[in-house]
Amino acid sequence: MPVEFTSDMPIYLQLIRLVRQGVASGELVPGSRLPGVREMAIEYGVNPNTVQRALVKLERDGLLYTERTAGRFVTADAARIAAVRGELADRQIDDFVRQMKSLGYNCRQLLETLEKKWSDHNGDD
Amino acid sequence: MPVEFTSDMPIYLQLIRLVRQGVASGELVPGSRLPGVREMAIEYGVNPNTVQRALVKLERDGLLYTERTAGRFVTADAARIAAVRGELADRQIDDFVRQMKSLGYNCRQLLETLEKKWSDHNGDD
DNA sequence: CTTATTGTATTAAGTGATTAATACAATAAG
DNA sequence: CTTATTGTATTAATCACTTAATACAATAAG
């Protein structure tokens, strides 16, 4: 599955978000191995250096770890994953509330629209 | 009020978002005059060229218009403003629903959290 | 007419992101 | 031991964004 990148943001930051979201959602299974940087580079149509840059950052954040010649793996630290998931959700909600308030929505109106949109989405989860 | 920019995105794009949000929310009054590019550049701590680049884009989108030597103004086209407001809201909601679903939230759980966060915010609107 | 302010255009320089092309160290596999 | 694959590091080139320093055209104000 080819992933599209926007030019609005550096690719390595978009990669960070992509993988982080995968880890937080569990789509990337804890303890499982990631494709190598060269393989991911081909998959995403970017340079291996760019992939490396993103993964190293996620490693410093404790979401990934490396075994020297075996490859890179998703952390098995459930608490760490849960924490990141919580941070992502909090930030999403805060930003969303701020934006929608700024646009003049009220609470009831928003909840209705949201509930409707939720059903419309072909929800996998 | 000094505005902070992130290095995650080009400044001119952040300026576009800032002004567009102002127009869509009505914080920038329809028909009212904006500060000059030089003045805005000082206010935001950026280069006049960068401000110009952002405002020209918003002009092409029909949110602003220019009178040659008088300055730049917010459109008075209420329909256009309403349309942009709707687009912004739709995009916000779509992204939000997608993200929260991906993180494994269910609808009821989300609505509760959201309602709570809404009250916590020192809502101006 | 003169002056000041408006948007606009241009050029050069600096910075960061990205790519390409390598190379190296470590280790599992044969 | 040899080989292949892993992450990692380095160098140079290119491109977009940003800034700085101007300059110009149009017009309202004096």
Side-chain angles (χ1 to χ4, degrees):
Chain A
M1 52 178 73
V3 180
E4 304 169 5
F5 296 108
T6 173
S7 61
D8 292 2
M9 193 186 307
I11 295 174
Y12 82 95
L13 289 179
Q14 299 181 57
L15 282 171
I16 287 175
R17 292 195 179 194
L18 191 66
V19 177
R20 182 193 288 134
Q21 185 78 17
V23 174
S25 70
E27 184 188 346
L28 292 178
V29 180
S32 67
R33 183 181 177 280
L34 291 177
V37 286
R38 294 165 179 82
E39 191 175 347
M40 288 183 69
I42 294 174
E43 179 182 350
Y44 294 131
V46 300
N47 193 276
N49 299 333
T50 307
V51 174
Q52 169 79 359
R53 183 169 183 178
L55 299 187
V56 164
K57 165 62 175 168
L58 291 170
E59 203 160 334
R60 283 200 302 267
D61 291 349
L63 294 188
L64 306 177
Y65 67 93
T66 295
E67 282 180 2
R68 195 60 179 93
T69 62
R72 232 182 223 103
F73 301 82
V74 179
T75 183
D77 184 344
R80 184 77 194 88
I81 294 178
V84 171
R85 177 179 177 274
E87 291 169 12
L88 287 180
D90 280 352
R91 187 141 42 95
Q92 281 290 326
I93 295 174
D94 276 354
D95 290 352
F96 182 66
V97 167
R98 177 173 16 258
Q99 287 282 318
M100 297 307 288
K101 275 198 174 182
S102 166
L103 288 180
Y105 274 70
N106 63 50
C107 191
R108 187 181 49 77
Q109 184 179 5
L110 178 61
L111 293 184
E112 286 176 4
T113 308
L114 203 55
E115 194 167 6
K116 187 177 174 185
K117 281 280 181 184
W118 191 275
S119 312
D120 291 355
H121 262 271
N122 345 2
D124 319 318
D125 307 72
Chain B
M1 50 177 73
V3 180
E4 304 169 4
F5 294 108
T6 173
S7 60
D8 292 1
M9 194 187 306
I11 295 175
Y12 82 96
L13 289 179
Q14 299 182 57
L15 282 171
I16 287 175
R17 292 194 178 194
L18 190 66
V19 176
R20 180 193 289 134
Q21 185 78 16
V23 174
S25 70
E27 185 187 346
L28 292 177
V29 180
S32 69
R33 183 181 178 281
L34 291 177
V37 286
R38 295 165 179 83
E39 191 175 345
M40 288 183 69
I42 294 173
E43 178 182 351
Y44 293 131
V46 299
N47 194 278
N49 298 335
T50 306
V51 174
Q52 169 79 359
R53 182 169 183 177
L55 300 187
V56 163
K57 164 63 175 168
L58 291 170
E59 203 160 332
R60 283 200 302 266
D61 291 349
L63 294 188
L64 306 177
Y65 66 94
T66 296
E67 281 180 2
R68 193 62 177 92
T69 63
R72 231 182 224 104
F73 300 83
V74 179
T75 182
D77 184 342
R80 184 77 193 89
I81 294 178
V84 171
R85 176 178 177 274
E87 291 168 12
L88 287 180
D90 281 352
R91 188 143 41 96
Q92 282 290 324
I93 294 174
D94 276 354
D95 290 351
F96 182 64
V97 168
R98 179 173 15 258
Q99 288 281 318
M100 297 308 286
K101 274 198 174 183
S102 166
L103 287 180
Y105 274 71
N106 64 49
C107 192
R108 188 182 48 78
Q109 184 178 6
L110 179 62
L111 294 184
E112 286 175 5
T113 308
L114 203 56
E115 193 166 8
K116 188 177 174 185
K117 280 280 182 182
W118 190 275
S119 311
D120 292 353
H121 262 270
N122 345 2
D124 318 317
D125 307 72

